[in-house]
Amino acid sequence: MSADADTTLNALKALIDPFIKERDWERFHRPKDVAMALSIEAAELQELYLWDRKPDREALGDEMADVLFFLLDLSIREGVDLTTVFNGKMEKNKKRYPAALVKGKDLKYDKYER
Ligand SMILES: [Mg+2]
């Protein structure tokens, strides 16, 4: 069984605040800066695939963890319940991309004839 199956988002979030407070980094973790760090870490993740490289598994995991860290951190700073917004966004995506209309196609939602 994977750790993902047995771990809640709240359990992961609970690791973030102590990590930041023990280092006296609260003043640096403003939402704007956390959002920027999230974007930077996402770019580092992309870099692993640049020029059709095959990512090293450890580096891939490290960058995915960095992205998750800052996403969870931002959700804490902004008081956003990730499960609620994720479920809401999936409902929007189902409406934007009805399977019967978009199956096998890669267009943006506003490019489909309805
Ligand atoms: Mg990184």
Short mmCIF file of all heavy atoms in Angstrom, two decimals, residues 56-112:
data_model
loop_
_atom_site.label_atom_id
_atom_site.label_comp_id
_atom_site.label_asym_id
_atom_site.label_seq_id
_atom_site.Cartn_x
_atom_site.Cartn_y
_atom_site.Cartn_z
N ASP A 56 15.61 11.85 -13.64
CA ASP A 56 16.07 10.98 -12.57
C ASP A 56 14.94 10.86 -11.55
O ASP A 56 14.32 11.86 -11.19
CB ASP A 56 17.32 11.65 -11.95
CG ASP A 56 17.74 10.98 -10.68
OD1 ASP A 56 18.44 9.97 -10.77
OD2 ASP A 56 17.37 11.48 -9.59
N ARG A 57 14.65 9.66 -11.10
CA ARG A 57 13.49 9.43 -10.22
C ARG A 57 13.60 10.21 -8.90
O ARG A 57 12.60 10.73 -8.41
CB ARG A 57 13.32 7.94 -9.91
CG ARG A 57 12.97 7.10 -11.11
CD ARG A 57 11.61 7.39 -11.67
NE ARG A 57 10.54 7.01 -10.77
CZ ARG A 57 9.24 7.23 -11.00
NH1 ARG A 57 8.87 7.82 -12.13
NH2 ARG A 57 8.32 6.88 -10.15
N GLU A 58 14.78 10.29 -8.33
CA GLU A 58 14.92 11.02 -7.07
C GLU A 58 14.69 12.51 -7.30
O GLU A 58 13.99 13.16 -6.52
CB GLU A 58 16.30 10.78 -6.45
CG GLU A 58 16.42 11.48 -5.09
CD GLU A 58 17.75 11.20 -4.40
OE1 GLU A 58 18.49 10.30 -4.84
OE2 GLU A 58 18.03 11.90 -3.40
N ALA A 59 15.27 13.05 -8.37
CA ALA A 59 15.08 14.48 -8.67
C ALA A 59 13.61 14.77 -8.96
O ALA A 59 13.08 15.79 -8.52
CB ALA A 59 15.96 14.88 -9.85
N LEU A 60 12.95 13.86 -9.68
CA LEU A 60 11.52 14.03 -9.98
C LEU A 60 10.70 14.09 -8.68
O LEU A 60 9.87 14.98 -8.49
CB LEU A 60 11.05 12.88 -10.87
CG LEU A 60 9.58 12.89 -11.27
CD1 LEU A 60 9.23 14.13 -12.07
CD2 LEU A 60 9.25 11.63 -12.07
N GLY A 61 10.97 13.16 -7.78
CA GLY A 61 10.26 13.16 -6.51
C GLY A 61 10.55 14.41 -5.69
O GLY A 61 9.64 14.98 -5.07
N ASP A 62 11.80 14.85 -5.69
CA ASP A 62 12.17 16.06 -4.93
C ASP A 62 11.41 17.28 -5.45
O ASP A 62 10.90 18.08 -4.67
CB ASP A 62 13.67 16.32 -5.03
CG ASP A 62 14.49 15.42 -4.13
OD1 ASP A 62 13.91 14.72 -3.27
OD2 ASP A 62 15.73 15.40 -4.29
N GLU A 63 11.35 17.43 -6.77
CA GLU A 63 10.68 18.62 -7.32
C GLU A 63 9.17 18.54 -7.12
O GLU A 63 8.52 19.56 -6.85
CB GLU A 63 11.03 18.81 -8.80
CG GLU A 63 12.50 19.09 -9.05
CD GLU A 63 13.09 20.24 -8.25
OE1 GLU A 63 12.36 21.10 -7.74
OE2 GLU A 63 14.34 20.28 -8.12
N MET A 64 8.60 17.34 -7.26
CA MET A 64 7.16 17.20 -7.00
C MET A 64 6.86 17.53 -5.53
O MET A 64 5.85 18.19 -5.23
CB MET A 64 6.69 15.78 -7.35
CG MET A 64 6.75 15.51 -8.83
SD MET A 64 6.43 13.79 -9.26
CE MET A 64 4.66 13.81 -9.33
N ALA A 65 7.73 17.11 -4.63
CA ALA A 65 7.55 17.42 -3.20
C ALA A 65 7.67 18.92 -2.96
O ALA A 65 6.92 19.49 -2.14
CB ALA A 65 8.56 16.66 -2.36
N ASP A 66 8.60 19.59 -3.66
CA ASP A 66 8.74 21.05 -3.52
C ASP A 66 7.46 21.76 -3.97
O ASP A 66 6.99 22.70 -3.31
CB ASP A 66 9.91 21.56 -4.36
CG ASP A 66 11.27 21.19 -3.76
OD1 ASP A 66 11.33 20.84 -2.57
OD2 ASP A 66 12.26 21.27 -4.51
N VAL A 67 6.89 21.32 -5.09
CA VAL A 67 5.64 21.92 -5.59
C VAL A 67 4.52 21.71 -4.57
O VAL A 67 3.78 22.64 -4.23
CB VAL A 67 5.26 21.32 -6.97
CG1 VAL A 67 3.84 21.72 -7.35
CG2 VAL A 67 6.26 21.76 -8.04
N LEU A 68 4.42 20.49 -4.06
CA LEU A 68 3.36 20.19 -3.09
C LEU A 68 3.55 21.00 -1.81
O LEU A 68 2.59 21.53 -1.26
CB LEU A 68 3.34 18.69 -2.78
CG LEU A 68 2.27 18.22 -1.81
CD1 LEU A 68 0.86 18.55 -2.33
CD2 LEU A 68 2.40 16.71 -1.57
N PHE A 69 4.79 21.13 -1.36
CA PHE A 69 5.08 21.91 -0.15
C PHE A 69 4.52 23.33 -0.29
O PHE A 69 3.80 23.82 0.59
CB PHE A 69 6.59 21.97 0.10
CG PHE A 69 6.98 22.82 1.28
CD1 PHE A 69 7.17 22.25 2.53
CD2 PHE A 69 7.15 24.20 1.15
CE1 PHE A 69 7.51 23.05 3.63
CE2 PHE A 69 7.49 24.99 2.24
CZ PHE A 69 7.68 24.41 3.48
N PHE A 70 4.86 23.99 -1.40
CA PHE A 70 4.43 25.39 -1.54
C PHE A 70 2.94 25.51 -1.83
O PHE A 70 2.31 26.50 -1.44
CB PHE A 70 5.29 26.11 -2.59
CG PHE A 70 6.66 26.44 -2.05
CD1 PHE A 70 7.79 25.82 -2.54
CD2 PHE A 70 6.81 27.36 -1.02
CE1 PHE A 70 9.06 26.11 -2.03
CE2 PHE A 70 8.07 27.66 -0.49
CZ PHE A 70 9.19 27.03 -1.00
N LEU A 71 2.34 24.52 -2.50
CA LEU A 71 0.89 24.56 -2.69
C LEU A 71 0.18 24.41 -1.34
O LEU A 71 -0.76 25.16 -1.03
CB LEU A 71 0.45 23.45 -3.66
CG LEU A 71 -1.05 23.42 -3.93
CD1 LEU A 71 -1.54 24.73 -4.56
CD2 LEU A 71 -1.42 22.24 -4.80
N LEU A 72 0.62 23.47 -0.54
CA LEU A 72 0.02 23.30 0.79
C LEU A 72 0.26 24.54 1.64
O LEU A 72 -0.64 25.00 2.36
CB LEU A 72 0.60 22.06 1.48
CG LEU A 72 0.24 20.71 0.84
CD1 LEU A 72 1.05 19.59 1.49
CD2 LEU A 72 -1.25 20.42 0.95
N ASP A 73 1.47 25.09 1.57
CA ASP A 73 1.80 26.29 2.34
C ASP A 73 0.88 27.44 1.94
O ASP A 73 0.32 28.14 2.80
CB ASP A 73 3.27 26.66 2.10
CG ASP A 73 3.79 27.74 3.01
OD1 ASP A 73 3.16 28.03 4.05
OD2 ASP A 73 4.85 28.32 2.69
N LEU A 74 0.68 27.62 0.64
CA LEU A 74 -0.21 28.70 0.17
C LEU A 74 -1.64 28.47 0.64
O LEU A 74 -2.33 29.43 1.02
CB LEU A 74 -0.14 28.79 -1.36
CG LEU A 74 -0.87 29.97 -1.99
CD1 LEU A 74 -0.36 31.31 -1.45
CD2 LEU A 74 -0.74 29.91 -3.51
N SER A 75 -2.08 27.24 0.64
CA SER A 75 -3.44 26.96 1.10
C SER A 75 -3.61 27.30 2.57
O SER A 75 -4.66 27.78 2.99
CB SER A 75 -3.83 25.50 0.83
OG SER A 75 -3.28 24.63 1.80
N ILE A 76 -2.56 27.10 3.36
CA ILE A 76 -2.58 27.47 4.78
C ILE A 76 -2.64 28.99 4.91
O ILE A 76 -3.49 29.54 5.62
CB ILE A 76 -1.34 26.91 5.52
CG1 ILE A 76 -1.38 25.39 5.56
CG2 ILE A 76 -1.25 27.50 6.93
CD1 ILE A 76 -0.05 24.75 5.96
N ARG A 77 -1.73 29.68 4.22
CA ARG A 77 -1.64 31.15 4.33
C ARG A 77 -2.94 31.83 3.88
O ARG A 77 -3.31 32.87 4.42
CB ARG A 77 -0.50 31.72 3.49
CG ARG A 77 0.82 31.05 3.65
CD ARG A 77 1.62 31.50 4.87
NE ARG A 77 2.47 30.39 5.24
CZ ARG A 77 2.58 29.86 6.46
NH1 ARG A 77 1.95 30.40 7.48
NH2 ARG A 77 3.34 28.83 6.70
N GLU A 78 -3.59 31.26 2.86
CA GLU A 78 -4.80 31.87 2.30
C GLU A 78 -6.09 31.26 2.85
O GLU A 78 -7.19 31.68 2.48
CB GLU A 78 -4.80 31.77 0.77
CG GLU A 78 -3.72 32.61 0.10
CD GLU A 78 -4.00 34.11 0.16
OE1 GLU A 78 -4.71 34.59 1.07
OE2 GLU A 78 -3.50 34.82 -0.73
N GLY A 79 -5.98 30.26 3.72
CA GLY A 79 -7.17 29.65 4.30
C GLY A 79 -8.05 28.97 3.27
O GLY A 79 -9.28 29.04 3.35
N VAL A 80 -7.42 28.32 2.32
CA VAL A 80 -8.16 27.61 1.27
C VAL A 80 -8.18 26.11 1.58
O VAL A 80 -7.13 25.51 1.81
CB VAL A 80 -7.51 27.85 -0.12
CG1 VAL A 80 -8.15 26.98 -1.17
CG2 VAL A 80 -7.60 29.33 -0.48
N ASP A 81 -9.37 25.54 1.60
CA ASP A 81 -9.53 24.10 1.80
C ASP A 81 -9.33 23.41 0.44
O ASP A 81 -10.20 23.51 -0.43
CB ASP A 81 -10.91 23.79 2.38
CG ASP A 81 -11.05 22.33 2.73
OD1 ASP A 81 -11.42 21.54 1.83
OD2 ASP A 81 -10.77 21.97 3.88
N LEU A 82 -8.21 22.76 0.28
CA LEU A 82 -7.84 22.22 -1.04
C LEU A 82 -8.81 21.16 -1.54
O LEU A 82 -9.10 21.09 -2.73
CB LEU A 82 -6.42 21.66 -1.00
CG LEU A 82 -5.31 22.71 -0.99
CD1 LEU A 82 -3.95 22.05 -0.78
CD2 LEU A 82 -5.29 23.51 -2.29
N THR A 83 -9.31 20.34 -0.66
CA THR A 83 -10.24 19.29 -1.09
C THR A 83 -11.51 19.92 -1.65
O THR A 83 -12.02 19.50 -2.70
CB THR A 83 -10.56 18.33 0.07
OG1 THR A 83 -9.33 17.74 0.51
CG2 THR A 83 -11.53 17.26 -0.36
N THR A 84 -12.02 20.95 -0.98
CA THR A 84 -13.23 21.63 -1.44
C THR A 84 -13.01 22.27 -2.81
O THR A 84 -13.82 22.08 -3.73
CB THR A 84 -13.67 22.71 -0.43
OG1 THR A 84 -13.94 22.06 0.82
CG2 THR A 84 -14.90 23.46 -0.91
N VAL A 85 -11.91 23.01 -2.96
CA VAL A 85 -11.68 23.69 -4.24
C VAL A 85 -11.34 22.69 -5.35
O VAL A 85 -11.72 22.89 -6.51
CB VAL A 85 -10.63 24.82 -4.15
CG1 VAL A 85 -11.12 25.92 -3.22
CG2 VAL A 85 -9.27 24.32 -3.74
N PHE A 86 -10.66 21.62 -4.99
CA PHE A 86 -10.33 20.60 -6.01
C PHE A 86 -11.60 19.94 -6.51
O PHE A 86 -11.80 19.78 -7.73
CB PHE A 86 -9.37 19.55 -5.43
CG PHE A 86 -8.91 18.55 -6.46
CD1 PHE A 86 -7.86 18.85 -7.31
CD2 PHE A 86 -9.55 17.31 -6.59
CE1 PHE A 86 -7.44 17.93 -8.28
CE2 PHE A 86 -9.14 16.41 -7.55
CZ PHE A 86 -8.08 16.71 -8.39
N ASN A 87 -12.47 19.56 -5.60
CA ASN A 87 -13.73 18.93 -6.01
C ASN A 87 -14.56 19.89 -6.85
O ASN A 87 -15.17 19.48 -7.85
CB ASN A 87 -14.52 18.46 -4.79
CG ASN A 87 -13.91 17.23 -4.16
OD1 ASN A 87 -13.23 16.44 -4.83
ND2 ASN A 87 -14.13 17.05 -2.87
N GLY A 88 -14.59 21.17 -6.45
CA GLY A 88 -15.34 22.16 -7.22
C GLY A 88 -14.77 22.34 -8.62
O GLY A 88 -15.51 22.45 -9.61
N LYS A 89 -13.45 22.37 -8.70
CA LYS A 89 -12.80 22.53 -10.01
C LYS A 89 -13.03 21.32 -10.91
O LYS A 89 -13.22 21.46 -12.12
CB LYS A 89 -11.30 22.78 -9.81
CG LYS A 89 -10.56 23.11 -11.08
CD LYS A 89 -11.03 24.42 -11.71
CE LYS A 89 -10.27 24.68 -13.00
NZ LYS A 89 -10.50 25.99 -13.55
N MET A 90 -13.04 20.13 -10.33
CA MET A 90 -13.32 18.93 -11.13
C MET A 90 -14.73 18.97 -11.70
O MET A 90 -14.95 18.56 -12.84
CB MET A 90 -13.11 17.67 -10.29
CG MET A 90 -11.65 17.34 -10.01
SD MET A 90 -10.63 17.16 -11.50
CE MET A 90 -11.33 15.68 -12.21
N GLU A 91 -15.68 19.49 -10.94
CA GLU A 91 -17.05 19.62 -11.46
C GLU A 91 -17.07 20.61 -12.62
O GLU A 91 -17.74 20.38 -13.64
CB GLU A 91 -18.01 20.05 -10.34
CG GLU A 91 -18.31 18.95 -9.35
CD GLU A 91 -18.81 17.67 -10.00
OE1 GLU A 91 -19.74 17.74 -10.83
OE2 GLU A 91 -18.25 16.60 -9.69
N LYS A 92 -16.35 21.75 -12.47
CA LYS A 92 -16.26 22.71 -13.58
C LYS A 92 -15.61 22.06 -14.80
O LYS A 92 -16.06 22.27 -15.93
CB LYS A 92 -15.42 23.93 -13.16
CG LYS A 92 -16.10 24.85 -12.18
CD LYS A 92 -15.15 26.00 -11.83
CE LYS A 92 -15.68 26.83 -10.69
NZ LYS A 92 -14.71 27.84 -10.24
N ASN A 93 -14.56 21.29 -14.58
CA ASN A 93 -13.85 20.65 -15.70
C ASN A 93 -14.76 19.65 -16.42
O ASN A 93 -14.70 19.54 -17.65
CB ASN A 93 -12.59 19.94 -15.20
CG ASN A 93 -11.48 20.91 -14.85
OD1 ASN A 93 -11.47 22.05 -15.30
ND2 ASN A 93 -10.54 20.46 -14.03
N LYS A 94 -15.58 18.94 -15.67
CA LYS A 94 -16.51 17.98 -16.30
C LYS A 94 -17.49 18.71 -17.20
O LYS A 94 -17.85 18.20 -18.27
CB LYS A 94 -17.26 17.19 -15.23
CG LYS A 94 -16.42 16.16 -14.54
CD LYS A 94 -17.25 15.46 -13.46
CE LYS A 94 -16.37 14.62 -12.57
NZ LYS A 94 -17.13 14.07 -11.43
N LYS A 95 -17.92 19.90 -16.79
CA LYS A 95 -18.85 20.69 -17.62
C LYS A 95 -18.12 21.31 -18.80
O LYS A 95 -18.68 21.39 -19.91
CB LYS A 95 -19.51 21.78 -16.78
CG LYS A 95 -20.51 21.23 -15.79
CD LYS A 95 -21.13 22.32 -14.94
CE LYS A 95 -22.05 21.67 -13.91
NZ LYS A 95 -22.20 22.47 -12.71
N ARG A 96 -16.91 21.78 -18.58
CA ARG A 96 -16.14 22.39 -19.67
C ARG A 96 -15.70 21.37 -20.70
O ARG A 96 -15.56 21.69 -21.88
CB ARG A 96 -14.88 23.08 -19.11
CG ARG A 96 -15.14 24.39 -18.46
CD ARG A 96 -13.84 24.99 -17.97
NE ARG A 96 -14.05 26.35 -17.52
CZ ARG A 96 -13.15 27.07 -16.88
NH1 ARG A 96 -11.98 26.55 -16.62
NH2 ARG A 96 -13.42 28.29 -16.51
N TYR A 97 -15.43 20.19 -20.23
CA TYR A 97 -14.89 19.14 -21.11
C TYR A 97 -15.76 17.88 -21.04
O TYR A 97 -15.30 16.84 -20.54
CB TYR A 97 -13.45 18.80 -20.72
CG TYR A 97 -12.47 19.94 -20.87
CD1 TYR A 97 -12.10 20.71 -19.76
CD2 TYR A 97 -11.93 20.26 -22.11
CE1 TYR A 97 -11.21 21.76 -19.90
CE2 TYR A 97 -11.04 21.31 -22.25
CZ TYR A 97 -10.66 22.06 -21.14
OH TYR A 97 -9.79 23.10 -21.27
N PRO A 98 -16.99 17.94 -21.57
CA PRO A 98 -17.82 16.74 -21.54
C PRO A 98 -17.15 15.63 -22.36
O PRO A 98 -16.73 15.88 -23.50
CB PRO A 98 -19.14 17.18 -22.20
CG PRO A 98 -19.06 18.66 -22.34
CD PRO A 98 -17.65 19.07 -22.22
N ALA A 99 -17.04 14.46 -21.80
CA ALA A 99 -16.31 13.37 -22.45
C ALA A 99 -16.83 13.10 -23.86
O ALA A 99 -16.06 12.87 -24.78
CB ALA A 99 -16.38 12.11 -21.59
N ALA A 100 -18.14 13.16 -24.03
CA ALA A 100 -18.73 12.86 -25.35
C ALA A 100 -18.30 13.88 -26.40
O ALA A 100 -18.23 13.56 -27.59
CB ALA A 100 -20.25 12.83 -25.25
N LEU A 101 -17.99 15.12 -25.98
CA LEU A 101 -17.61 16.19 -26.92
C LEU A 101 -16.11 16.22 -27.19
O LEU A 101 -15.68 16.49 -28.31
CB LEU A 101 -18.06 17.54 -26.34
CG LEU A 101 -17.77 18.79 -27.16
CD1 LEU A 101 -18.56 18.75 -28.48
CD2 LEU A 101 -18.13 20.04 -26.36
N VAL A 102 -15.30 15.92 -26.20
CA VAL A 102 -13.86 16.18 -26.31
C VAL A 102 -12.99 14.92 -26.41
O VAL A 102 -11.78 15.04 -26.56
CB VAL A 102 -13.37 17.03 -25.11
CG1 VAL A 102 -14.20 18.27 -24.96
CG2 VAL A 102 -13.35 16.23 -23.82
N LYS A 103 -13.61 13.78 -26.36
CA LYS A 103 -12.84 12.53 -26.31
C LYS A 103 -11.78 12.48 -27.43
O LYS A 103 -12.10 12.63 -28.60
CB LYS A 103 -13.77 11.34 -26.42
CG LYS A 103 -13.12 10.03 -26.09
CD LYS A 103 -14.14 8.93 -25.90
CE LYS A 103 -13.44 7.74 -25.28
NZ LYS A 103 -14.35 6.89 -24.58
N GLY A 104 -10.52 12.31 -27.04
CA GLY A 104 -9.44 12.18 -28.01
C GLY A 104 -8.96 13.50 -28.59
O GLY A 104 -8.09 13.50 -29.46
N LYS A 105 -9.52 14.63 -28.14
CA LYS A 105 -9.13 15.93 -28.66
C LYS A 105 -8.41 16.72 -27.57
O LYS A 105 -8.64 16.52 -26.39
CB LYS A 105 -10.36 16.70 -29.13
CG LYS A 105 -11.13 15.99 -30.23
CD LYS A 105 -12.43 16.71 -30.53
CE LYS A 105 -13.28 15.86 -31.47
NZ LYS A 105 -14.67 16.30 -31.48
N ASP A 106 -7.56 17.68 -27.99
CA ASP A 106 -6.75 18.41 -27.02
C ASP A 106 -6.98 19.92 -27.04
O ASP A 106 -6.12 20.68 -26.61
CB ASP A 106 -5.26 18.11 -27.25
CG ASP A 106 -4.77 18.57 -28.62
OD1 ASP A 106 -5.60 19.05 -29.43
OD2 ASP A 106 -3.56 18.46 -28.88
N LEU A 107 -8.14 20.35 -27.50
CA LEU A 107 -8.41 21.78 -27.58
C LEU A 107 -8.79 22.34 -26.22
O LEU A 107 -9.25 21.62 -25.33
CB LEU A 107 -9.56 22.04 -28.56
CG LEU A 107 -9.33 21.58 -30.01
CD1 LEU A 107 -10.60 21.81 -30.83
CD2 LEU A 107 -8.13 22.30 -30.62
N LYS A 108 -8.62 23.68 -26.06
CA LYS A 108 -9.10 24.37 -24.87
C LYS A 108 -10.63 24.39 -24.89
O LYS A 108 -11.23 24.38 -25.95
CB LYS A 108 -8.53 25.79 -24.83
CG LYS A 108 -8.75 26.49 -23.52
CD LYS A 108 -8.06 27.83 -23.47
CE LYS A 108 -8.39 28.53 -22.16
NZ LYS A 108 -7.83 29.87 -22.09
N TYR A 109 -11.24 24.46 -23.71
CA TYR A 109 -12.70 24.31 -23.59
C TYR A 109 -13.49 25.28 -24.46
O TYR A 109 -14.56 24.96 -24.95
CB TYR A 109 -13.13 24.43 -22.13
CG TYR A 109 -12.93 25.80 -21.53
CD1 TYR A 109 -13.91 26.78 -21.61
CD2 TYR A 109 -11.73 26.12 -20.88
CE1 TYR A 109 -13.71 28.03 -21.07
CE2 TYR A 109 -11.52 27.36 -20.34
CZ TYR A 109 -12.50 28.32 -20.43
OH TYR A 109 -12.29 29.56 -19.91
N ASP A 110 -12.93 26.49 -24.68
CA ASP A 110 -13.71 27.49 -25.45
C ASP A 110 -13.57 27.32 -26.96
O ASP A 110 -14.12 28.11 -27.72
CB ASP A 110 -13.32 28.91 -25.03
CG ASP A 110 -11.84 29.22 -25.26
OD1 ASP A 110 -11.08 28.31 -25.65
OD2 ASP A 110 -11.45 30.38 -25.04
N LYS A 111 -12.88 26.29 -27.41
CA LYS A 111 -12.69 26.05 -28.84
C LYS A 111 -13.62 24.95 -29.39
O LYS A 111 -13.57 24.63 -30.57
CB LYS A 111 -11.23 25.66 -29.15
CG LYS A 111 -10.22 26.70 -28.75
CD LYS A 111 -10.39 27.98 -29.53
CE LYS A 111 -9.36 29.02 -29.11
NZ LYS A 111 -9.77 30.37 -29.45
N TYR A 112 -14.45 24.40 -28.52
CA TYR A 112 -15.38 23.35 -28.97
C TYR A 112 -16.71 23.96 -29.37
O TYR A 112 -17.21 24.88 -28.71
CB TYR A 112 -15.60 22.31 -27.86
CG TYR A 112 -14.37 21.49 -27.58
CD1 TYR A 112 -13.52 21.80 -26.52
CD2 TYR A 112 -14.03 20.41 -28.41
CE1 TYR A 112 -12.38 21.06 -26.27
CE2 TYR A 112 -12.89 19.66 -28.16
CZ TYR A 112 -12.07 19.99 -27.10
OH TYR A 112 -10.94 19.26 -26.86
#
